[in-house]
Amino acid sequence: MMEAYNEIAVEVQKHWFKDWFNSPYYDLLYSNRDSKEAVSFIDKLLEYLRPPADATMLDVACGTGRHARYLAEKGFTVTGIDLSIRSINIAKKLENPRLSFFQHDMRLPFRVNYFDLVFNFFTSFGYFETARENDNALRTLKNALRPGGRLVLDYLNSTYVGEHLVYEEVKEMGDVVFDIHREAEDGKFLKEINILDRSRMQRASYTESVCAFTKQDFEDMFARQGLQITDIFGDYHFNNYDEHHSPRLIIIATKP
């Protein structure tokens, strides 16, 4: 009986993102993300990439579609995919002839040899339990590109995050209290989120788990997929990457 329980517990931990990303508390906790900074980053990115006016783009792990919509407003043809059906249902309200959304697991193939650019923004990678699953996800990103297409993967800088980890934090957002505990363990950053919803008199708990991939880890993963890294930046202002001072690890690569 205990063995069966342990198997269930492992399964829940492996797929934490399915429940958490479909929770309304996820959107509430991250509702204060800096939209202006995101728009500024995308503007700088487009200036750097200089895609043709008819470029096709894929936003992998697009959430509710705000960044995909911004790209479509620039005149590009954009597709967004996300595992969360809740997020996709919200995003679909934004659809137009240049913008479409699909519920899809990034570990599975999607439109092979189709897009000029593939984006994976704001640490939307490294959620999975095994190296094979993470390799499968990166293979999806690579295979979705046309030959000569470019991938932009925006990840946290694990060294910097580890050196600046805030272990305990409490956030109150209206009637909801988030009691957050962070730790680094076994090559992952774990974020336990305990929730008290005073309006509904209920509690909930989720644990985020993100791989603490280093620059070398990504270089190895990209090499296995045959992706050629052309640039690595350390923040949304496109400053050079520095292991101890850069908050981000933004990798730009080309599919031969």
Side-chain angles (χ1 to χ4, degrees), residues 2 7 47 79 104-105 141 145 162 175 192-193 224 229:
M2 183 59 71
E7 288 178 3
E47 184 179 349
T79 302
H104 189 80
D105 188 325
L141 273 59
L145 286 168
D175 290 323
E192 181 184 339
I193 305 161
R224 285 198 296 273
I229 295 175

Side-chain angles (χ1 to χ4, degrees), residues 19-69:
D19 293 329
W20 178 222
F21 292 165
N22 276 309
S23 166
Y25 296 118
Y26 175 83
D27 292 333
L28 179 61
L29 178 60
Y30 295 114
S31 62
N32 61 349
R33 283 176 168 167
D34 192 337
S35 296
K36 289 184 179 179
E37 182 184 51
V39 166
S40 175
F41 167 54
I42 292 173
D43 283 341
K44 288 184 173 67
L45 186 59
L46 292 176
E47 184 179 349
Y48 167 86
L49 295 170
R50 297 189 180 280
D54 62 349
T56 54
M57 301 178 174
L58 176 65
D59 184 1
V60 178
C62 64
T64 56
R66 59 186 181 132
H67 306 113
R69 177 177 65 177

Side-chain angles (χ1 to χ4, degrees), residues 126 155 158 184-190 209-213 217:
Y155 207 70
S158 294
E185 181 180 295
D186 296 330
K188 297 179 184 294
F189 292 114
L190 303 178
S209 175
V210 178
C211 292
F213 289 139
D217 290 330

